[in-house]
């Protein structure tokens, strides 16, 4: 199975997932002043009001909060998107103690962590699985996390992490609305890319917010109490540095920017 270690990490994923060397791979380094400002780009709109989570799980590569996506109650629309995309889950990528952990970088600089809110095009596709293999199937909203003061709502997630310590664990996690994790501005960069983990499908319209949210080192440290390994396994491998480094643009135009 793939992972983030020396033997199974991003540098060898191409062996089982040749698309890893494709021409719309993610993440990328976003170069702000090179991002063409596109006046035709509309603001992105998030309708998360009726949004409530169902469960939290340890996927073996990240912690994932899932949502009921049986209707259009929680969608992202506007911006570069031709349809509303339904929220299915969110998860994080982070580093080791004090070091960086975001996937996208900005002008070569990385953040401590990155939150991905994963949405799928239920107008054009019947299931998430089908959408995940289509070039306009997914829309992922990326939000950078920088360290500073405590985030007033992140503790709701970090206080639940003990319930999903091991790979494969799942727990009820109802009533969490991710609206509380958004920064004040929805100004964004956007580009066509891929899943940042295997199977690395080139099916993602990326919308990366310019403004990070602030979380404390203590809150980030709680993410690192999760394990990559399952309860039955001998070794206890801390879940950290679960990020893919930036990939080549390969002829893609610089990301568009909505100020
Ligand atoms: N990191 S991301 O590009 O936002 C993204 C979004 C949605 C799915 C995925 N990747 C996967 O679902 N991979 C399947 C196995 C993951 C658990 O090991 C990555
Ligand atoms: Zn992700």
């Amino acid at each position: 199975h793939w992972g983030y270690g020396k033997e199974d990490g991003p540098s060898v994923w191409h062996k089982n997932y040749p698309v890893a060397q494709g021409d719309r791979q993610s993440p990328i380094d976003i170069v702000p002043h090179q991002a063409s400002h596109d006046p035709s780009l509309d603001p992105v709109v998030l309708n998360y009001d009726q949004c409530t989570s169902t469960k939290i799980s340890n996927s073996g590569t990240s912690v994932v909060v899932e949502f009921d996506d049986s209707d259009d109650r929680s969608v992202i629309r506007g911006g570069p998107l031709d349809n509303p995309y339904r929220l299915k889950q969110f998860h994080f990528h982070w580093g080791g103690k004090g070091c960086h952990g975001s996937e996208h970088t900005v002008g070569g600089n990385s953040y401590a962590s990155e939150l991905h809110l994963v949405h799928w095009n239920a107008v054009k596709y019947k299931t998430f699985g089908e959408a995940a293999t289509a070039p306009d199937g997914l829309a992922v909203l990326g939000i950078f996390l920088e360290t500073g003061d405590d985030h007033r709502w992140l503790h709701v997630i970090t206080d639940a992490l003990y319930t999903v310590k091991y790979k494969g664990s799942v727990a009820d996690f109802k009533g969490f609305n991710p609206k509380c994790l958004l920064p004040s501005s929805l100004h964004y960069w956007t580009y066509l890319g891929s899943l940042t983990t295997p199977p690395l499908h080139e099916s993602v319209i990326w919308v990366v917010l310019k403004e990070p949210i602030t979380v404390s080192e203590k809150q980030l440290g709680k993410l690192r109490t999760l394990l990559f390994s399952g309860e039955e396994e001998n070794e206890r491998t801390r879940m950290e540095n679960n990020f893919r480094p930036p990939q080549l643009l390969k002829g893609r135009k610089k990301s568009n920017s909505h100020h």
Side-chain angles (χ1 to χ4, degrees):
H1 193 59
W2 61 273
Y4 291 95
K6 191 107 196 60
E7 318 278 313
D8 61 3
S11 57
V12 299
W13 289 351
H14 67 93
K15 292 179 187 171
N16 289 329
Y17 304 93
V19 73
Q21 297 170 336
D23 56 11
R24 60 172 278 191
Q25 288 291 294
S26 293
I28 61 169
D29 178 46
I30 297 165
V31 188
H33 56 279
Q34 277 181 10
S36 53
H37 185 90
D38 181 344
S40 73
L41 267 180
D42 299 325
V44 115
V45 177
L46 298 173
N47 294 338
Y48 284 169
D49 291 345
Q50 305 308 319
C51 176
T52 53
S53 56
T54 52
K55 57 182 186 171
I56 189 168
S57 61
N58 178 330
S59 69
T61 53
S62 184
V63 56
V64 187
V65 172
E66 317 240 355
F67 292 84
D68 171 6
D69 59 349
S70 59
D71 66 26
D72 269 352
R73 81 180 71 179
S74 306
V75 297
I76 183 173
R77 64 175 83 237
L81 307 172
D82 292 343
N83 299 123
Y85 285 62
R86 252 181 225 175
L87 178 65
K88 177 162 180 50
Q89 53 105 321
F90 70 73
H91 63 271
F92 298 85
H93 303 264
W94 61 90
K97 189 159 173 31
C99 94
H100 301 299
S102 66
E103 299 210 294
H104 292 89
T105 56
V106 181
N109 298 314
S110 49
Y111 286 88
S113 172
E114 188 170 329
L115 163 60
H116 289 157
L117 291 129
V118 182
H119 310 73
W120 62 285
N121 187 339
V123 170
K124 283 184 71 174
Y125 307 104
K126 284 195 290 303
T127 64
F128 173 83
E130 190 193 340
T133 60
D136 60 350
L138 303 182
V140 181
L141 183 67
I143 301 176
F144 293 119
L145 278 66
E146 66 180 4
T147 48
D149 297 335
D150 250 29
H151 188 283
R152 63 174 304 144
W153 301 109
L154 192 71
H155 69 85
V156 176
I157 295 171
T158 55
D159 289 352
L161 296 180
Y162 78 96
T163 66
V164 286
K165 189 176 177 63
Y166 299 100
K167 172 172 69 175
S169 30
V170 184
D172 268 349
F173 190 72
K174 294 201 171 24
F176 183 80
N177 185 322
K179 241 175 31 175
C180 65
L181 297 177
L182 301 176
S184 51
S185 161
L186 290 184
H187 293 161
Y188 64 88
W189 295 287
T190 183
Y191 75 99
L192 299 180
S194 73
L195 302 181
T196 65
T197 74
L200 300 168
H201 294 317
E202 298 188 325
S203 59
V204 182
I205 299 171
W206 278 95
V207 177
V208 179
L209 296 188
K210 296 182 178 181
E211 183 185 333
I213 59 170
T214 303
V215 306
S216 65
E217 190 49 57
K218 193 162 162 285
Q219 289 175 313
L220 267 190
K222 291 196 175 167
L223 286 171
R224 298 188 198 105
T225 63
L226 293 166
L227 299 180
F228 281 125
S229 37
E231 193 162 4
E232 71 297 337
E233 291 174 53
N234 295 334
E235 93 282 1
R236 295 232 170 310
T237 329
R238 277 182 167 246
M239 188 179 277
E240 57 186 26
N241 297 308
N242 55 350
F243 62 92
R244 189 190 194 190
Q247 305 299 305
L248 296 171
L249 269 181
K250 292 213 173 163
R252 280 174 283 186
K253 64 183 180 346
K254 310 281 170 221
S255 340
N256 284 318
S257 146
H258 167 80
H259 182 76

